Amino acid sequence: MADAIEPKEDFKSLPKEERLNRMRHSAAHVLAEAMVELMPDAELGIGPPIDTGFYYDFRLPRSLTPEDLVWLDARMRKSMKGKHRFVMSSLSKAEAQQKWAGQPFKLDLLADLEEGSVTQCSHAEFTDLCRGGHVGNTSQIGAFKLMSIAGAYWRGSEKNPQLQRVYGALFETAEELAEYEHQLEEARRRDHRRIGKELKIFDLIENIGPGHVIWLPNGATIRRELVRWIEDLEIERGYQHVITPNVGKRELYERSGHWDHYQESMYPVMERDGEEYCLRPMNCPHHIMVFESELHSYRELPIRIAELGNMHRWEKSGQVTGMSRVRIMTLNDAHIFCANEAMVEAEVEGVLALMEHVYGTLGLKNYRYRLSLGDPENKEKYVDNPPMWEMGESLLRRVLDRVGLEYFEAKDEAAFYGPKIDVQFQTAAGKDETLVTVQVDFHLPAQFELEYIGEDGARHQPIIVHRGVLSTMERMVALLIEEYEGNFPLWLSPVQAVVIPIADRHIEYAEEVARQLSTAKLRVDVDSRGERMNAKIRDAQLRKVPYMLVVGDREAEAQAAALRIRGGGDVGSVPVTEILSRLRKERDEKSLTLWG
């Protein structure tokens, strides 16, 4: 017999975050109640609160439709108006197994529970297996909207049955919900997957596989400009670039610890003639091998080894997203081998300065720094070496405080071998994502028994700083597409100008203008199609080309072009020599504005 559990606190007095969690959890229960009424044979999965609302997983006798969402939404609102109390109760494991005998997923959850820890929650005529955390009654659930239907594997494993997931958005007030919906609309408008397809930047081809990005010519151009730029910046700052293989022996990753910590996210091992190889999930073991290949003196340190290195992660096919989450990625990576803590601090400070320069040049502002710490209690996730963690965390905190960058701390977000500074960007969808990191590492030098000859002639162990700046090329370009809405600044635009002849007799002059611009290595097209001039201008605008140079009889006679700017600005007739000079200056200065 179930025993009722009385609530211990007043819902309205709780902090807002807790109130929201309870609203969202309660809404999931009300959604399940409505689903059981719509489809009595529904098999119930789980229904947790999430950052923007809630979801519930079901196995159903048929596929859900948008019309079903409308019905479920209305049924949920009816339950909310009923002001049904949420009542928690406890029961024995045997009672619970009998109660949910027809619900295989509930029985699966019960198998993991110990006797005495089984609880359920009831409202109206509906009961669900539940640990608790609800509003007082259904009328206290906030403003919500059912948003979408998706597929999801039970417990997140592809080996388990696939369920149908219903997502809902929920906030405390209607105004907050409306603001969230506006943010979603903004995200859809800026979505790099749509813009990237329209601008022919990248493609994902089923026969090649999910998460394997194809850089089309326009995307390859953007990537090439970024690569050349960051490599030049690194060379100016004393980095040495290497190119290392995409594979390594399994033993290499066992020694580094990546095998133990990342095995589930690695591609399957390749085995032949008794040898086992892995596609590398990280570049650091390879750079460590470069350092280890010869014995260095303290006079050489710091040694900064950099690479645009490919990494491979076996993301689940349902989790890959455009270019922002992929299986093969090229990381702007570097590892700095230092002699002591003072040198580490100087190098971390230099990396932060480089980041600020890069993000400022790109016009990125919506980011913040996070000091990601370990958890001394979690011996399975993190290397068990408390003095090492204390030393690394204190070092990074000192640097952040000294340079004056605002940051926040987050426990249990570190790398398995050490603390790090994460650069957290907010995407167009409002999600907080880690773009790049700076990590201090005392662990891998010990694992690989790295040494250098110190000033005293003895052998010493170096310290490694792991760092990225541009992130992976895939994620950075995805971010830039959304930040710019496809309107790349001149230096990154795949096509920087298009020359548009008014009539066929002007094609020869248009090609001459294009040749003049091309001498300055500007990327120029001539639109010689038999379309009307306005149609050509419109097409160039849709392609988000920064400049359109319209030429006719008067322009040819004056050695000029009628200049139009992306977005509709009409400058008028401008000598080609002036256009060339202004565009070259704008490109070389990496200006974020056009014709400034």
Side-chain angles (χ1 to χ4, degrees):
M1 187 74 176
D3 296 320
I5 303 172
E6 290 299 322
K8 295 180 180 179
E9 66 282 293
D10 174 32
F11 167 70
K12 292 181 180 179
S13 67
L14 296 172
K16 182 172 182 177
E17 184 177 355
E18 177 63 20
R19 292 200 306 271
L20 265 177
N21 274 337
R22 293 189 177 213
M23 288 178 179
R24 289 164 175 171
H25 187 186
S26 301
H29 277 240
V30 176
L31 169 59
E33 174 200 10
M35 185 65 77
V36 169
E37 184 171 323
L38 178 64
M39 299 186 198
D41 294 334
E43 294 178 3
L44 305 180
I46 57 172
I50 55 176
D51 286 345
T52 58
F54 60 95
Y55 70 78
Y56 208 110
D57 291 340
F58 306 93
R59 184 156 64 181
L60 303 170
R62 65 169 174 83
S63 297
L64 290 167
T65 67
E67 290 74 22
D68 290 326
L69 288 191
V70 174
W71 189 93
L72 291 166
D73 186 286
R75 178 61 182 80
M76 289 176 67
R77 295 183 192 281
K78 179 181 176 182
S79 184
M80 290 168 61
K81 288 179 181 178
K83 298 185 178 181
H84 304 294
R85 289 182 61 233
F86 286 92
V87 179
M88 291 295 299
S89 58
S90 61
L91 65 169
S92 70
K93 197 165 181 178
E95 289 173 325
Q97 288 168 335
Q98 182 179 0
K99 180 175 181 59
W100 278 285
Q103 293 285 341
F105 304 114
K106 296 300 181 184
L107 293 175
D108 191 28
L109 292 172
L110 276 168
D112 294 337
L113 299 180
E114 295 181 1
E115 188 66 59
S117 65
V118 181
T119 54
Q120 62 184 20
C121 182
S122 301
H123 76 276
E125 302 300 319
F126 178 78
T127 300
D128 200 356
L129 190 66
C130 178
R131 292 179 179 174
H134 291 280
V135 297
N137 67 70
T138 55
S139 71
Q140 294 175 314
I141 294 173
F144 81 96
K145 181 179 180 180
L146 296 185
M147 304 297 291
S148 61
I149 305 162
Y153 291 104
W154 173 241
R155 295 200 166 191
S157 172
E158 295 176 355
K159 299 175 183 178
N160 291 334
Q162 188 170 39
L163 310 180
Q164 294 184 71
R165 176 172 293 178
V166 178
Y167 280 103
L170 190 149
F171 293 86
E172 200 162 24
T173 66
E175 291 75 18
E176 289 172 317
L177 178 61
E179 183 180 342
Y180 172 68
E181 290 188 88
H182 174 72
Q183 185 180 63
L184 286 183
E185 184 55 40
E186 272 288 293
R188 282 190 284 268
R189 187 168 60 83
R190 293 172 175 265
D191 193 333
H192 80 275
R193 294 167 296 182
R194 177 185 61 80
I195 296 173
K197 184 178 181 64
E198 290 175 355
L199 299 185
K200 299 181 180 179
I201 291 174
F202 75 99
D203 202 355
L204 295 165
I205 299 172
E206 182 61 32
N207 285 342
I208 294 177
H212 300 155
V213 172
I214 307 299
W215 292 86
L216 300 176
N218 286 343
T221 298
I222 297 168
R223 173 179 169 142
R224 183 171 61 250
E225 291 295 327
L226 288 170
V227 168
R228 288 173 174 171
W229 176 51
I230 194 63
E231 286 185 338
D232 285 346
L233 288 175
E234 289 173 341
I235 290 169
E236 290 170 6
R237 288 159 176 78
Y239 286 85
Q240 303 173 63
H241 286 90
V242 298
I243 300 173
T244 60
N246 289 328
V247 299
K249 287 187 174 182
R250 171 176 163 172
E251 290 88 342
L252 176 65
Y253 305 109
E254 289 177 333
R255 187 178 179 189
S256 69
H258 290 101
W259 181 259
D260 288 338
H261 292 272
Y262 289 98
Q263 183 181 348
E264 292 300 315
S265 298
M266 292 171 66
Y267 274 66
V269 172
M270 297 175 285
E271 189 276 330
R272 193 159 192 171
D273 298 332
E275 295 184 27
E276 291 185 325
Y277 287 88
C278 300
L279 288 168
R280 64 178 172 191
M282 300 283 190
N283 300 319
C284 36
H286 292 238
H287 291 184
I288 287 172
M289 291 294 97
V290 172
F291 179 86
E292 191 184 46
S293 64
E294 60 177 298
L295 187 60
H296 299 279
S297 161
Y298 74 95
R299 296 180 185 275
E300 300 173 71
L301 273 56
I303 292 176
R304 308 177 185 95
I305 298 174
E307 180 177 16
L308 272 294
N310 287 341
M311 304 189 305
H312 306 76
R313 309 279 176 82
W314 189 254
E315 300 280 4
K316 295 174 182 177
S317 58
Q319 294 177 332
V320 295
T321 306
M323 287 204 298
S324 61
R325 189 162 184 177
V326 298
R327 285 178 170 173
I328 302 176
M329 62 216 78
T330 305
L331 179 64
N332 163 227
D333 207 1
H335 296 87
I336 307 171
F337 297 82
C338 301
N340 50 51
E341 289 185 53
M343 188 178 289
V344 170
E345 289 192 29
E347 290 302 308
V348 171
E349 190 169 334
V351 170
L352 293 173
L354 178 57
M355 286 177 168
E356 288 292 293
H357 171 72
V358 167
Y359 305 148
T361 301
L362 293 171
L364 301 177
K365 298 176 181 178
N366 200 15
Y367 66 93
R368 54 188 184 152
Y369 292 97
R370 180 179 77 188
L371 178 56
S372 297
L373 311 174
D375 179 358
E377 302 301 319
N378 193 339
K379 312 295 186 185
E380 184 176 337
K381 182 176 178 181
Y382 298 111
V383 171
D384 186 12
N385 188 335
M388 178 192 78
W389 284 95
E390 183 178 349
M391 192 161 36
E393 291 173 0
S394 298
L395 186 155
L396 292 178
R397 192 179 287 109
R398 282 197 304 274
V399 175
L400 284 166
D401 290 338
R402 183 167 61 248
V403 299
L405 291 174
E406 290 188 13
Y407 68 96
F408 67 102
E409 298 190 9
K411 186 177 178 181
D412 202 24
E413 294 288 351
F416 76 87
Y417 49 77
K420 55 195 175 89
I421 299 170
D422 289 323
V423 183
Q424 298 297 114
F425 270 83
Q426 193 169 66
T427 68
K431 293 182 178 179
D432 198 42
E433 289 189 354
T434 301
L435 189 70
V436 286
T437 67
V438 189
Q439 304 165 10
V440 60
D441 177 11
F442 298 91
H443 174 68
L444 289 181
Q447 286 290 99
F448 285 91
E449 300 178 337
L450 298 182
E451 293 178 327
Y452 70 93
I453 301 299
E455 189 173 4
D456 58 2
R459 297 193 175 210
H460 299 270
Q461 182 179 293
I463 308 165
I464 302 177
V465 175
H466 305 243
R467 53 112 286 205
V469 173
L470 274 184
S471 182
T472 68
M473 291 298 103
E474 292 75 14
R475 178 164 285 187
M476 175 53 73
V477 172
L479 173 66
L480 293 179
I481 290 172
E482 295 186 349
E483 285 285 321
Y484 301 145
E485 296 184 56
N487 297 301
F488 284 90
L490 184 72
W491 73 282
L492 287 175
S493 293
V495 176
Q496 296 168 320
V498 60
V499 187
I500 301 172
I502 294 174
D504 286 351
R505 67 180 183 275
H506 305 124
I507 291 176
E508 184 177 351
Y509 176 62
E511 290 176 342
E512 179 188 330
V513 171
R515 279 193 296 273
Q516 289 184 59
L517 297 181
S518 295
T519 59
K521 296 185 178 179
L522 290 163
R523 297 183 288 274
V524 188
D525 283 349
V526 175
D527 191 344
S528 57
R529 297 175 300 156
E531 302 284 343
R532 294 172 63 88
M533 180 189 71
N534 287 340
K536 294 179 182 181
I537 292 172
R538 184 174 62 252
D539 288 349
Q541 293 277 15
L542 290 173
R543 292 167 59 197
K544 300 186 182 290
V545 177
Y547 294 105
M548 288 136 276
L549 285 65
V550 180
V551 296
D553 292 332
R554 283 182 296 181
E555 288 76 22
E557 184 178 347
Q559 290 294 291
L563 185 65
R564 289 174 175 265
I565 302 175
R566 179 179 62 205
D570 190 349
V571 178
S573 182
V574 181
V576 173
T577 53
E578 183 180 344
I579 293 173
L580 172 59
S581 175
R582 292 282 291 272
L583 266 59
R584 180 164 51 193
K585 182 174 184 289
E586 184 179 311
R587 177 201 62 195
D588 293 346
E589 292 180 353
K590 294 180 172 53
S591 173
L592 292 168
T593 57
L594 300 180
W595 205 252

